[in-house]
């Protein structure tokens, strides 16, 4: 059973960057396909980026290209999302998730609220 | 923005059957990619409900079922219960360029 625990809430100013972490337990990081999904207040789910097993590489949603970076630390089984040049529209709950064999998201973190406000 | 279209809301009385549609295109569902469904209770993370069009993860009641045909998919909930009141999202894959795609989401209300 995979368990994902995310870092806490953050408040950032416009133009700043944020880095959200997701610690894996129950499996080692390299055994899992890792993804990030966000949800703005009162809105739907939006996939940001993650490992695409069909092409064997990390891919990003076009709207975040150039602003998002996905990294990992295999020693601590933790993966990260960094989003730069924050604006108010980036205020959202950011979820980490793992990808299953059918390209579904089978396990989810608890979410981390990022608030962008001056 | 969401690429898969769902009705904003559906409702039903306890015990009734409701269905939620998910309409895509030839670039995602119609290209043969699987459809998955998630249930999101208020204030919580989404939970996988159906994967691979019509498979239930362990622990998901058989009241929930999925189907797929052409460029669309559906989630059916039979024997509706108060605890089913939540937001539901479909999801598929839309190619290397568009990546993974979600539906617009549907709020289910139990009358």
């Amino acid at each position: 059973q995979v368990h994902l625990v995310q870092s806490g809430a953050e408040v950032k100013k416009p133009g700043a960057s944020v880095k959200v972490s997701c610690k894996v337990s129950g499996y080692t990081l390299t055994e899992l396909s890792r993804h990030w999904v966000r949800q703005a207040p009162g809105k739907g789910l939006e996939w940001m980026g993650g490992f695409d097993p069909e092409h064997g590489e990390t891919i990003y949603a076009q709207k975040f290209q150039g602003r998002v970076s996905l990294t990992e630390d295999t020693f601590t089984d933790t993966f990260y999302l960094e989003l730069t040049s924050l604006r108010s529209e980036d205020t959202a709950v950011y979820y980490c998730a793992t990808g299953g064999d059918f390209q579904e998201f089978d396990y989810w973190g608890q979410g981390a609220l990022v608030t962008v406000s001056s | 923005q969401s690429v898969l279209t769902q009705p904003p809301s559906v409702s039903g009385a306890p015990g009734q059957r409701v269905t939620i549609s998910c309409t895509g295109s030839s670039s995602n569902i119609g290209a043969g990619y699987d459809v998955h469904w998630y249930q999101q209770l208020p204030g919580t993370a989404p939970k996988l409900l159906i994967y691979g069009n019509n498979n239930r993860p362990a622990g998901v009641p058989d009241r929930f079922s999925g189907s797929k045909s052409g460029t669309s998919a559906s989630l059916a909930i039979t024997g509706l219960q108060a605890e089913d009141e939540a937001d539901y999202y479909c999801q598929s894959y839309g190619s290397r360029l568009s990546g993974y795609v979600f539906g617009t989401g549907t709020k289910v209300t139990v009358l």
Side-chain angles (χ1 to χ4, degrees), chain A residues 101-116:
Chain A
D101 293 337
F102 293 79
Q103 295 175 311
E104 78 280 22
F105 302 118
D106 47 6
Y107 296 98
W108 295 70
Q110 82 276 20
L113 175 63
V114 174
T115 303
V116 183

Side-chain angles (χ1 to χ4, degrees), chain A residues 33 35 37 39 43-47 50-55 57 59-63 95 102-106 108-111, chain B residues 1-2 33-34 36 38 40 43-48 50-52 55 89 91-93 95-104:
Chain A
S33 171
H35 295 266
V37 175
Q39 185 172 36
K43 301 296 185 182
L45 301 172
E46 182 175 35
W47 175 80
F51 185 76
D52 177 3
E54 178 151 319
H55 296 93
E57 60 181 342
I59 59 174
Y60 302 91
Q62 280 191 300
K63 70 177 286 186
Y95 293 103
F102 293 79
Q103 295 175 311
E104 78 280 22
F105 302 118
D106 47 6
W108 295 70
Q110 82 276 20
Chain B
Q1 63 275 19
S2 300
Y33 294 112
D34 289 330
H36 322 290
Y38 303 86
Q40 187 176 33
T44 69
K47 168 192 165 187
L48 181 63
I50 296 287
Y51 68 95
N55 300 289
Y89 295 89
Q91 175 252 315
S92 187
Y93 178 81
S95 81
R96 183 179 176 278
L97 191 63
S98 50
Y100 295 73
V101 292
F102 281 100
T104 48

Side-chain angles (χ1 to χ4, degrees), chain A residues 3-103:
Chain A
H3 194 49
L4 306 176
V5 177
Q6 298 184 229
S7 47
E10 303 250 21
V11 179
K12 296 291 183 179
K13 293 196 180 305
S17 299
V18 68
K19 192 169 186 177
V20 183
S21 70
C22 181
K23 181 164 176 58
V24 176
S25 61
Y27 275 73
T28 58
L29 194 63
T30 52
E31 295 178 281
L32 303 169
S33 171
R34 288 90 59 193
H35 295 266
W36 290 90
V37 175
R38 78 176 187 179
Q39 185 172 36
K43 301 296 185 182
L45 301 172
E46 182 175 35
W47 175 80
M48 300 181 69
F51 185 76
D52 177 3
E54 178 151 319
H55 296 93
E57 60 181 342
T58 296
I59 59 174
Y60 302 91
Q62 280 191 300
K63 70 177 286 186
F64 300 109
Q65 292 273 4
R67 278 211 305 144
V68 67
S69 175
L70 306 188
T71 58
E72 62 197 36
D73 181 343
T74 55
F75 291 103
T76 61
D77 284 325
T78 302
F79 61 107
Y80 302 89
L81 163 78
E82 184 171 22
L83 188 62
T84 62
S85 301
L86 290 168
R87 35 222 192 213
S88 58
E89 310 90 88
D90 293 318
T91 294
V93 175
Y94 289 76
Y95 293 103
C96 60
T98 57
D101 293 337
F102 293 79
Q103 295 175 311

Side-chain angles (χ1 to χ4, degrees), chain B residues 2 6 11 20 29-30 33 35 38 46 57 66 70-71 75 89 103 106:
Chain B
S2 300
Q6 299 177 231
S11 61
I20 301 170
I29 299 174
Y33 294 112
V35 178
Y38 303 86
T71 58
L75 173 72
Y89 295 89
T106 299

